[in-house]
Structures are given as C-alpha cells and as structure tokens.
Amino acid sequence: MPSLVVIGAQWGDEGKGKVVDHLASLADVVVRFGGGPNAGHTLVVDGSKLIVRLVPSGILWPRTECVLAQGMVIDPDVLVGELEVLETRGHSVAGRLFVSHRAHLILPHHTLADGLRENLAAERAIGTTRRGIGPCYEDKIARRGLTVGDLRDLSHAERIVADTLDAWRPMFDRHHVELPAARTVVDRLAAAAARILPFVTDTASLVHDRISAGKRVLLEGAQGTLLDIDHGTYPF
C-alpha cells in the first residue's frame, strides 16, 4: 500500500519509534501528524543514543523526507535543539525536513499552565509530561493559538500572543503566578524563527503530491490510542 499508519494501542511508550525507524527504511516520506514533544523516541545508532521528540525518526535515513504536519504542536526551542543535534551528528536535514505553516507553537505559558494544573490536582493529576501540549491544543481549539506560519510576521505574532496571554491571565492571577510579557515571548521566538522558517511549507499539499506521485508514505503516531479524547480512557 502507498500509505501506512503506525499508532500506539495503549497510552504511549509502546516502542513506536523503533518500529517507525525500521519501516522508514522502506518509506519515501515519514509524517508526524499529531502530538508534540512528549517523552520522545529513543534510537540507538552505531552505539550512540539519539532522542527525537518532534522530528520523525525517519530522519536517520538519508534519502527519506520527513514532515511535521499541521496536527502537531511544536515547541520551537525543542525543535531548534533537535536540528542542532542532528546536524552535529552528521544527519543532514536540508531539503528533507518540512514543517507545516499550520502547526501550532507551544509557548511558555502553556508549559506553566501544564505544570500548575498537575501540581494543583495532586492525587487527581492526569500525569502529563508537563511540556505544555494540552494547553497548546486548548489555544488551538479556542482559535487563539500561534502557528508556525505566524513567525513570518513577528509584529502580528506579538498581537496574537498578547490576546492569548489575556485569556489565560485570570487563572494565573488566581494562583499568583506571573506571566511573561508578550514582547518577551516574541523576542525569544525571533531567534527560533530564523532557524525554523527555512523548513516551513504547506505540508498538506506536499504529502498529497507525494502520494499522487506513488511515493511510499509512513504516518507516525505520537501518543497512544487510549489517550484519545473520543476513544480513550477519558478524562484520564
């Protein structure tokens, strides 16, 4: 079949990364279609351990294209860090890595909110990785999130961030937690933007084009099925 999907049947940590890495040797394109920088996929290459949290593990195969698609939430600092590690170890990503302009960005207040909620919940805590994934999806669904494409205009990005912070402020004020200023957030994003934007494109069209051309596409799931809002062990 031209397309194959690998999805965890439990809550994650089922070894998907190793399976995807094996199947990627047969694929032309590997696509991460959802999730964010969770626990990560641990790979051992020539005795050296490599952990990828955002970039598909197919990046280790030199002729494989890798896609971070529009369903993902991306921590820009994590992505930049992974790019640097991959390139330092000799894994070229130029012309092989593509990031959706519609993917949403995890911002500092998302990780703050994630940790705050887990701490307040105590024994009722969900057990998140505290990486801001859930709160980022909240902003996406509320239509106030910042996308990767917004990094092309940082003045516009600052207005979005300011509105988003205002929406979260009541919760943080209630627990006496200080939020960063929108300008501070955007200044921090500026350096990451310069690194990430060369990889940004319309990945939906790219994947459709590859499938139409008869390429073999491997779609890499992130979290497990039982974490799904509709089909999982909701609300946990």
Side-chain angles (χ1 to χ4, degrees):
M1 293 189 298
S3 300
L4 178 68
V5 184
V6 176
I7 300 174
Q10 300 176 22
W11 292 272
D13 298 327
E14 302 100 337
K16 295 185 296 297
K18 295 179 179 64
V19 173
V20 169
D21 182 52
H22 172 71
L23 294 175
S25 64
L26 308 173
D28 299 304
V29 186
V30 181
V31 182
R32 273 283 307 272
F33 56 85
N38 48 17
H41 292 163
T42 302
L43 305 165
V44 179
V45 183
D46 297 328
S48 178
K49 185 169 71 172
L50 177 68
I51 299 175
V52 286
R53 303 183 189 280
L54 289 169
V55 177
S57 52
I59 200 71
L60 300 184
W61 296 94
R63 288 179 292 182
T64 302
E65 293 181 322
C66 291
V67 174
L68 278 64
Q70 61 268 25
M72 291 188 66
V73 291
I74 296 172
D75 185 318
D77 292 333
V78 173
L79 179 55
V80 169
E82 287 189 21
L83 294 176
E84 292 176 353
V85 169
L86 286 165
E87 291 176 347
T88 298
R89 297 194 182 186
H91 302 291
S92 175
V93 298
R96 296 200 302 123
L97 181 68
F98 305 93
V99 181
S100 173
H101 66 297
R102 292 182 176 271
H104 279 245
L105 290 168
I106 296 175
L107 302 176
H109 71 274
H110 294 136
T111 53
L112 284 172
D114 206 352
L116 178 62
R117 285 173 171 170
E118 287 290 277
N119 291 338
L120 292 172
E123 70 276 1
R124 295 181 290 105
I126 296 175
T128 77
T129 56
R130 298 173 181 250
R131 298 182 183 274
I133 296 171
C136 184
Y137 276 117
E138 288 183 50
D139 274 350
K140 176 179 180 177
I141 296 304
R143 299 176 184 268
R144 60 174 183 246
L146 187 74
T147 67
V148 172
D150 292 325
L151 294 177
R152 293 171 174 146
D153 183 345
L154 293 178
S155 295
H156 174 65
E158 185 174 352
R159 291 192 292 271
I160 294 174
V161 172
D163 289 343
T164 301
L165 290 173
D166 285 342
W168 285 89
R169 198 172 308 280
M171 184 190 83
F172 284 95
D173 286 349
R174 187 164 61 250
H175 297 290
H176 309 290
V177 176
E178 185 176 357
L179 282 171
R183 167 52 58 182
T184 301
V185 173
V186 173
D187 284 346
R188 182 175 170 180
L189 285 171
R195 191 74 173 89
I196 295 170
L197 284 175
F199 301 99
V200 176
T201 189
D202 180 354
T203 57
S205 295
L206 183 146
V207 173
H208 281 299
D209 289 344
R210 299 297 189 268
I211 293 174
S212 297
K215 299 293 185 180
R216 292 166 296 185
V217 178
L218 175 63
L219 297 116
E220 176 182 355
Q223 291 85 358
T225 301
L226 295 182
L227 294 177
D228 186 82
I229 296 297
D230 296 311
H231 305 289
T233 52
Y234 184 89
F236 302 104

